[in-house]
Amino acid sequence: MKIGETILKLREEKKMSQEEFAEYFHVTRQTISNWEKEKSFPDLQTLVKISDAAGVSVDSMLRDNFIMVQQIDKKVKHLKLFKIGTAVIAAIILVVISYFGIQTVKQNNITHSMESSLKELGFEKNGNNYCLEDVDFRYDIYLFDKPAIWKWNQELDSSEKFVVGTYTQNDSDLLETKKVEMTIRKTEQFTTLNISKGDYTVDGVSPQISEYTLDKNGEIKNPEKMDEEDYKIYSALQGEIKEAVEKMNGIYSKLYK
């Protein structure tokens, strides 16, 4: 017997209206009408209830209702695909969350390692950088930008790895009226010396700045290219410059090697 006939016969035997029958199976009256006309079919769970109530096996109803079997088969396939899709999406979300979690831990480890090393070296946080005051020089380590989180290797970019040492002499005997400031910048490949003579505040004129390359011991590589005033400053402070470079080499090695 076809499913529509079975449902109609069962409802008539129980002397129930479509509304009452629909309420019994927790569906709408229109759904019962569609079932009886075989425009649509009940799900398997409801089909079992109808089978028990009508005394007709589910197997016999399915054999007589090929279209319904096709629909049920499609629903089962769709359900399987839905479950597989849901599992795949859940796995992807889990991988993404795990990835960002691992990367965040790596970034925090970099920050913690840097801060610990800076404290061991005697640096103190000062605004946007860490500062160490010495007798002749002030050393600065500027706060770095964390590596992009999508990069698996969480390492500082080479441009973030540097140490700056600054020497300032306001009442200089080296130059009668000018302020002298020296800045040493230590990177992985180069150590440079910048000599600034003058003051930004004098008649709005910028100071004269010259840059020279130092070797690993803090000596100028091409002293013959220095102008007379710069060479005089360098010669007078050569000892301090060498000590500063030696200290900066140690700081750099501690932080970035």
Side-chain angles (χ1 to χ4, degrees):
M1 184 180 291
K2 290 188 175 182
I3 185 64
E5 295 174 1
T6 302
I7 293 172
L8 177 59
K9 182 179 179 181
L10 177 62
R11 182 171 64 82
E12 290 176 345
E13 286 177 353
K14 290 184 175 293
K15 298 180 180 179
M16 299 173 70
S17 66
Q18 286 186 340
E19 288 83 356
E20 293 171 333
F21 203 74
E23 185 177 352
Y24 180 80
F25 286 102
H26 307 292
V27 295
T28 64
R29 185 205 64 79
Q30 186 62 43
T31 299
I32 298 298
S33 176
N34 289 337
W35 286 355
E36 292 177 351
K37 295 176 182 178
E38 295 192 356
K39 291 182 178 180
S40 64
F41 300 96
D43 57 37
L44 285 175
Q45 186 176 4
T46 305
L47 189 62
V48 171
K49 291 181 180 180
I50 294 172
S51 171
D52 292 339
V56 179
S57 69
V58 174
D59 181 63
S60 64
M61 284 192 291
L62 291 177
R63 279 200 303 267
D64 292 337
N65 292 271
F66 179 72
I67 295 176
M68 180 180 180
V69 173
Q70 285 186 317
Q71 289 189 0
I72 291 173
D73 187 53
K74 286 182 180 179
K75 288 181 179 179
V76 170
K77 288 181 179 178
H78 289 163
L79 181 60
K80 286 182 179 178
L81 290 174
F82 175 76
K83 288 182 177 179
I84 292 172
T86 301
V88 170
I89 292 172
I92 292 173
I93 292 173
L94 180 61
V95 169
V96 171
I97 292 174
S98 299
Y99 175 84
F100 280 99
I102 292 170
Q103 296 300 81
T104 300
V105 170
K106 287 182 180 180
Q107 288 187 340
N108 291 338
N109 287 341
I110 291 175
T111 303
H112 179 72
S113 178
M114 280 285 293
E115 291 178 342
S116 297
S117 297
L118 287 166
K119 288 180 181 179
E120 289 178 11
L121 291 167
F123 280 81
E124 295 182 356
K125 193 171 183 180
N126 181 19
N128 291 326
N129 64 294
Y130 283 86
C131 179
L132 173 63
E133 295 284 351
D134 205 346
V135 176
D136 298 307
F137 277 82
R138 185 190 76 232
Y139 303 97
D140 290 288
I141 302 292
Y142 294 92
L143 293 179
F144 56 88
D145 292 328
K146 292 182 179 180
I149 201 165
W150 55 266
K151 291 184 177 180
W152 178 252
N153 293 324
Q154 289 292 298
E155 298 178 354
L156 292 181
D157 188 85
S158 58
S159 63
E160 302 282 357
K161 299 178 181 180
F162 62 89
V163 183
V164 175
T166 305
Y167 176 95
T168 302
Q169 189 170 348
N170 291 308
D171 298 323
S172 176
D173 294 331
L174 302 174
L175 298 172
E176 294 180 358
T177 60
K178 295 180 180 179
K179 173 183 177 180
V180 176
E181 181 173 287
M182 290 192 307
T183 301
I184 302 173
R185 182 183 176 91
K186 162 69 181 174
T187 66
E188 184 177 5
Q189 296 181 331
F190 302 102
T191 302
T192 56
L193 170 67
N194 286 276
I195 299 177
S196 170
K197 303 184 292 289
D199 197 314
Y200 283 98
T201 60
V202 177
D203 298 327
V205 178
S206 298
Q208 178 185 348
I209 301 176
S210 303
E211 181 175 279
Y212 305 98
T213 302
L214 301 173
D215 63 20
K216 63 180 181 180
N217 298 315
E219 294 185 358
I220 292 288
K221 288 189 174 182
N222 298 294
E224 69 278 1
K225 294 183 179 181
M226 300 182 74
D227 67 33
E228 185 176 347
E229 286 187 340
D230 288 347
Y231 186 76
K232 180 180 178 182
I233 295 169
Y234 167 73
S235 298
L237 300 173
Q238 189 172 9
E240 288 87 343
I241 293 172
K242 287 184 176 181
E243 288 181 5
V245 170
E246 181 180 1
K247 186 160 188 172
M248 291 171 71
N249 289 337
I251 292 171
Y252 189 93
S253 178
K254 175 72 174 177
L255 291 178
Y256 304 121
K257 296 294 179 126

